[in-house]
């Protein structure tokens, strides 16, 4: 028995590419003002690919987490965030009228944090440590952009920017 797919609920009003160093992730703003980033783009940016076992479980409806967070070494770190990560995916229609799946933008820093905590605890394989380093680069960029945006908002400078 296959799972019925829900039709996309929203359309993208704006699309672009989030560029951080050499990392590029497609992103969009939906008509309900929700910010999303491409699930496939996150997987590509982190350099993750679900293996055969992952896709077999996914096809059977038994794997609900995206491939970039489904590594067994991460399991102890995602228990509290599991439902949020699953519910954070959003089907939508791109400006080119194509179906897409995004991840709520506020979920990505949490995913990066999971990878970084696992790295700090020394539980990752050599290949997984590479993924965690990319997660660290992304998290550092989020922090830098975040503090700038907070100061701009606190000072009223954002109103004067183009």
């Amino acid at each position: 028995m296959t799972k019925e797919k829900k039709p996309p609920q929203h359309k993208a009003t704006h699309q672009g590419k989030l560029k951080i160093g050499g990392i590029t992730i497609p992103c969009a703003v939906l008509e309900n003002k929700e910010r999303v980033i491409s699930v496939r783009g996150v997987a590509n940016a982190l350099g993750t690919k679900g293996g055969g076992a992952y896709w077999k479980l996914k096809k059977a409806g038994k794997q609900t987490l995206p491939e970039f967070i489904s590594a067994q070494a991460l399991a102890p770190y995602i228990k509290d965030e599991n439902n949020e990560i699953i519910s954070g995916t959003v089907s939508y229609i791109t400006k080119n009228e194509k179906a897409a799946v995004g991840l709520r933008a506020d979920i990505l820093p949490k995913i990066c944090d999971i990878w970084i905590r696992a790295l700090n605890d020394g539980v990752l394989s050599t290949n997984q440590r590479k993924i965690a380093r990319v997660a660290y680069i992304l998290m550092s960029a989020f922090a830098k952009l975040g503090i700038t945006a907070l100061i701009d908002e606190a000072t009223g400078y954002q109103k004067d920017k183009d």
Side-chain angles (χ1 to χ4, degrees), residues 57 63-83 85-86 110-111 113-119 121 123-125 128:
L57 289 171
Q63 177 56 269
T64 53
L65 291 172
E67 66 265 27
F68 50 80
I69 196 73
S70 65
Q72 200 128 34
L74 301 179
Y77 301 91
I78 61 173
K79 291 202 185 320
D80 294 338
E81 292 100 341
N82 198 359
N83 287 334
I85 292 167
I86 293 166
K110 295 173 184 181
I111 290 169
D113 182 62
I114 290 167
W115 278 103
I116 293 165
R117 285 187 285 143
L119 176 67
D121 288 349
V123 299
L124 300 178
S125 70
Q128 290 171 334

Side-chain angles (χ1 to χ4, degrees), residues 23 96 101 112 148:
I23 301 166
N96 300 343
V101 179
C112 291
T148 301

